[in-house]
Amino acid sequence: IAGITQAPTSQILAAGRRMTLRCTQDMRHNAMYWYRQDLGLGLRLIHYSNTAGTTGKGEVPDGYSVSRANTDDFPLTLASAVPSQTSVYFCASSAEPSTDTQYFGPGTRLTVL
Amino acid sequence: RKEVEQDPGPFNVPEGATVAFNCTYSNSASQSFFWYRQDCRKEPKLLMSVYSSGNEDGRFTAQLNRASQYISLLIRDSKLSDSATYLCVVNDGNNRLAFGKGNQVVVIP
């Protein structure tokens, strides 16, 4: 089934640990995005990639890093997790950067204790 | 002023009734507009794009008012399955999408 997959579905993590959230799309979309969604704050862009090999910072990039080694994969890494990074993380993709419709993965629920 | 503002609600709507809500945006250079639907604990999904001339998709009608910088969504003949949060999304002119916090709709039997 075409679309975006994310792993894990949920995770409880001790503060200070390193964590990588995985995102894979099979639609051959050029652009990919990572958002976090917190109650009362809506979706906020963490990092984005307009095409394989390039990445950029979004609204809330601190504490997160990304890589885009190929078209399909866009992992998000928390180098040293903190409780304020407890959130729901959504990966999304679009055929072209931003001006096109974005398709979202099912999300990862992360709790940092 | 936030880029995209929505009244979170909830909007409690009797089944079969009509509900409408607006979303205002701050950047007059914004070019693309969308409504997304998000069910509880699920990912957002595109409901419809919003065109300058307005557009309709079944029971859903979206309109854009550039002069006043708002877009609207109207749902006719509300169904229980319409209960969800509706996110207003705007291409903010800086080549990024800005999301509103959403309008929560609860359709009541």
Side-chain angles (χ1 to χ4, degrees):
Chain A
I1 297 176
I4 302 179
T5 58
Q6 291 184 237
T9 301
S10 64
Q11 182 75 45
I12 299 174
L13 189 67
R17 297 297 295 269
R18 180 183 179 90
M19 175 74 191
T20 295
L21 308 185
R22 299 184 297 278
C23 174
T24 300
Q25 54 101 358
D26 63 1
M27 296 177 283
R28 307 304 293 172
H29 283 174
N30 282 320
M32 297 187 74
Y33 315 85
W34 274 105
Y35 294 91
R36 59 178 290 174
Q37 187 174 36
D38 303 288
L39 193 64
L41 293 178
L43 282 157
R44 294 182 292 169
L45 182 66
I46 304 172
H47 284 287
Y48 64 92
S49 169
N50 287 340
T51 189
T54 69
T55 61
K57 294 182 179 180
E59 180 184 357
V60 288
D62 294 343
Y64 305 95
S65 63
V66 292
S67 61
R68 187 87 184 277
N70 57 61
T71 298
D72 298 344
D73 302 299
F74 191 42
L76 176 74
T77 297
L78 289 67
S80 180
V82 295
S84 62
Q85 292 178 310
T86 294
S87 187
V88 180
Y89 291 85
F90 288 105
C91 180
S93 72
S94 63
E96 297 299 334
S98 290
T99 55
D100 207 346
T101 305
Q102 292 189 9
Y103 298 87
F104 286 79
T108 293
R109 296 186 174 278
L110 182 67
T111 302
V112 182
L113 301 176
Chain B
R1 181 181 177 186
K2 296 188 184 303
E3 291 183 86
V4 181
E5 294 200 54
Q6 295 182 256
D7 177 358
F11 294 78
N12 296 314
V13 187
E15 190 175 7
T18 296
V19 62
F21 34 82
N22 293 340
C23 155
T24 59
Y25 60 94
S26 60
N27 190 336
S28 59
S30 299
Q31 299 171 7
S32 306
F33 308 88
F34 310 89
W35 283 103
Y36 277 69
R37 171 189 168 129
Q38 186 172 25
D39 293 288
C40 186
R41 303 177 72 85
K42 299 286 189 181
E43 71 273 23
K45 293 183 179 179
L46 178 68
L47 178 67
M48 57 198 307
S49 300
V50 187
Y51 304 119
S52 296
S53 57
N55 48 303
E56 187 174 309
D57 183 1
R59 298 180 294 106
F60 297 83
T61 300
Q63 293 196 320
L64 167 65
N65 185 318
R66 285 190 183 274
S68 299
Q69 294 183 204
Y70 74 85
I71 66 174
S72 63
L73 181 67
L74 181 145
I75 307 174
R76 287 184 298 277
D77 188 22
S78 297
K79 311 293 185 188
L80 296 177
S81 58
D82 294 333
S83 295
T85 297
Y86 293 85
L87 305 176
C88 174
V89 183
V90 176
N91 177 328
D92 66 2
N94 292 318
N95 210 32
R96 298 286 163 259
L97 294 184
F99 288 78
K101 297 179 184 179
N103 300 112
Q104 184 186 4
V105 172
V106 179
V107 181
I108 303 166

